[in-house]
Each structure stands twice: as structure tokens, then as C-alpha cells.
């Protein structure tokens, strides 16, 4: 199948299947700017990348009204390369990282929106905080001094499995964690969960942001 011909169709198809209140982030990691441009021309404005340098290069090359989402694991020493333009950082998993994002955001006179990444999968390889650790961050006095970041919600990745019941259980756990964190900060609104293989389940469990890559752009080739 030639996905390049059908990026617009894939987008249209997915958009038709998700409710209006759910934000679709087109995950374009490893894909050339030409592919992103095709999605842009089809009306897509929110894009997700997992490497800061790659995102910064694409930011330079593409229209300025794109909302850039950092969905990967963030190294503190690279925050400075995206602080000027990033729209939402999904993978925040430590207070130290929040401090660095705050510091870099301040230089650009911005408030950068962040999500706390919560570990919900059985796999130990996936990054993220426990609910207790996330609560500690939300309740810490030091957080109040970080005026250039705003925690707007949570993000999580389910186990890579065919077992739908397990995926549903993990997404439900994330929704419950969100509810408890929201009791600390009632302004939180976002739950980023759901990828190509599981976004319909995620939406049924309360997702507000889905991160969809291969169903839009085709399979990724990590060798090029
Ligand atoms: C790659 C990636 C996605 C998209 O995955 P697909 O299965 O291609 O939809 C979503 N979220 C994160 C964190 C990713 O790294």
C-alpha cells in the first residue's frame, strides 16, 4: 500500500472516528517533512515527535502555525532546543525536569504546558511516575515557584498486547489517577492516551488526546 498517496485519507478516516473533544496528535517521528506537509495540507495542525533535535529541524522547515508535541522521553540538557516553540511536553517524569523546563521557558517569556507521564503498563521498560510520585509533585510547595510551566494533565502508554481487557484496565487506571490528581489541581484537563493500535479503547476510557502515528503515515523504518 502506498501510504504517501493516502495520508490525507488516513487522517480523514481517523478524524471521522474520534469525537470532537478529543485532540488528534499526528505522530510524525522518523517521517520526512514532505509527509508532514501532506498532513498539514489536509488540515492537520498538531504533530508529535519523540526526539527534540528532529522536532526542532521540522519546526524550522514547516509552517509556523503548527502545534508541536514532545511525546518522547526528555533529556534535561536538550530542553533548551524546544523551549521557544514546543506546545505541550507529554513525557515529564521528574521534578528536576520540570525545573529545567521552567528555566528555559522563562528565557522565552513563555509558560510551557506539561503532562506528567504515569507508568501504567506491565512492561518495566516504559517510563513514568507512579501515582504516589505524581501526587508528591503536584502537592509540593516548590511547584508553586515554577511560574513558567503548567501541568495540564497526564500521559500514559498501555502494554503492547493484543489483550483488550488488559489495555482497558491500564487506561482506566490512568483515568483514575487523573481524577485523584485533579483533586489537587482542579484546572487539569488533559489525558493523553491512545496510539494507532488502541486509541478507540483509550477514548472509551476518557482520553482527551490521542497520539497516532503509523495509522496516518504508515509503518516507520528506523534504518533510514
Ligand atoms: C511512536 C509513538 C506513538 C505513536 O505510535 P503508533 O503506534 O505509530 O500510532 C504514540 N505515543 C508515543 C509516546 C510514541 O512514542
Amino acid at each position: 500500500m502506498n501510504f504517501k498517496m493516502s495520508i490525507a485519507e488516513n487522517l480523514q478516516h481517523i478524524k471521522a472516528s474520534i469525537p470532537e473533544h478529543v485532540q488528534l496528535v499526528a505522530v510524525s517521528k522518523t517521517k520526512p517533512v514532505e509527509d508532514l506537509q501532506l498532513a498539514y495540507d489536509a488540515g492537520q495542525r498538531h504533530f508529535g515527535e519523540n526526539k527534540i533535535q528532529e522536532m526542532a529541524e521540522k519546526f524550522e522547515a514547516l509552517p509556523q502555525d503548527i502545534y508541536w508535541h514532545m511525546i518522547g522521553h526528555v533529556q534535561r540538557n536538550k530542553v533548551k532546543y524546544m523551549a521557544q516553540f514546543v506546545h505541550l511536553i507529554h513525557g515529564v517524569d521528574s521534578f528536576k525536569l520540570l525545573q529545567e523546563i521552567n528555566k528555559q521557558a522563562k528565557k522565552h517569556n513563555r509558560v510551557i504546558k506539561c503532562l506528567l507521564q504515569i507508568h501504567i503498563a506491565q512492561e518495566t521498560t516504559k517510563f513514568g511516575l507512579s501515582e504516589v510520585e505524581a501526587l508528591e509533585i503536584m502537592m509540593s510547595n516548590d511547584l508553586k515557584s515554577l511560574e513558567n510551566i503548567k501541568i495540564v494533565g497526564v500521559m500514559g502508554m498501555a502494554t503492547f498486547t493484543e489483550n483488550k481487557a488488559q489495555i482497558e484496565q491500564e487506561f482506566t487506571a490512568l483515568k483514575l489517577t487523573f481524577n485523584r490528581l485533579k483533586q489537587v489541581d482542579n484546572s487539569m484537563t488533559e489525558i493523553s492516551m491512545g496510539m494507532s493500535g488502541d486509541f478507540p479503547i483509550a477514548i472509551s476510557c476518557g482520553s482527551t488526546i490521542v497520539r497516532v502515528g503509523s495509522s496516518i503515515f504508515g509503518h516507520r523504518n528506523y534504518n533510514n
Side-chain angles (χ1 to χ4, degrees), residues 13-223:
H13 183 74
I14 291 165
K15 276 196 157 152
S17 77
I18 66 177
E20 255 181 51
H21 71 273
V22 175
Q23 179 69 245
L24 171 63
V25 174
V27 175
S28 45
K29 60 191 186 197
T30 79
K31 297 296 175 180
V33 290
E34 291 75 25
D35 288 11
L36 282 76
Q37 184 69 50
L38 286 174
Y40 180 91
D41 292 341
Q44 184 64 26
R45 291 295 178 272
H46 289 256
F47 289 85
E49 292 283 334
N50 71 338
K51 294 209 170 74
I52 293 171
Q53 235 128 324
E54 184 176 340
M55 183 170 78
E57 283 165 22
K58 287 172 174 173
F59 162 74
E60 293 289 340
L62 284 158
Q64 294 299 299
D65 61 342
I66 288 177
Y67 296 94
W68 292 99
H69 295 247
M70 176 38 59
I71 63 167
H73 187 247
V74 176
Q75 286 170 275
R76 264 181 284 152
N77 61 353
K78 293 196 177 145
V79 172
K80 55 177 175 282
Y81 301 120
M82 65 174 169
Q84 175 202 345
F85 68 90
V86 67
H87 172 64
L88 178 63
I89 301 176
H90 291 233
V92 173
D93 61 356
S94 76
F95 191 79
K96 277 189 162 176
L97 178 56
L98 279 173
Q99 286 175 311
E100 177 62 17
I101 296 168
N102 186 73
K103 181 177 150 191
Q104 298 299 335
K106 200 172 194 142
K107 290 183 185 168
H108 297 279
N109 212 5
R110 299 186 66 210
V111 174
I112 296 181
K113 293 193 276 182
C114 298
L115 303 177
L116 294 181
Q117 182 167 358
I118 310 294
H119 187 273
I120 53 170
Q122 267 177 7
E123 292 139 289
T124 52
T125 51
K126 286 186 176 148
F127 291 102
L129 302 158
S130 69
E131 180 177 308
V132 170
E133 289 168 333
L135 275 168
E136 272 169 17
I137 290 176
M138 294 301 297
M139 286 165 40
S140 77
N141 269 325
D142 296 342
L143 184 65
K144 297 187 183 74
S145 66
L146 305 185
E147 293 178 337
N148 294 79
I149 55 119
K150 172 134 184 65
I151 299 173
V152 297
V154 296
M155 178 267 209
M157 287 171 87
T159 304
F160 189 70
T161 173
E162 295 288 310
N163 185 342
K164 288 209 158 77
Q166 184 183 347
I167 294 170
E168 197 170 81
Q169 191 188 336
E170 291 172 2
F171 284 151
T172 301
L174 184 57
K175 166 72 173 162
L176 291 173
T177 293
F178 170 81
N179 290 348
R180 284 186 281 261
L181 295 175
K182 197 175 163 69
Q183 289 177 358
V184 181
D185 179 353
N186 193 40
S187 70
M188 291 207 329
T189 50
E190 306 302 329
I191 305 175
S192 168
M193 59 183 184
M195 312 181 12
S196 291
D198 56 21
F199 74 84
I201 304 176
I203 291 169
S204 74
C205 293
S207 173
T208 67
I209 303 173
V210 293
R211 311 174 309 267
V212 180
S214 44
S215 291
I216 297 171
F217 296 106
H219 291 293
R220 287 175 293 272
N221 177 3
Y222 285 99
N223 300 321

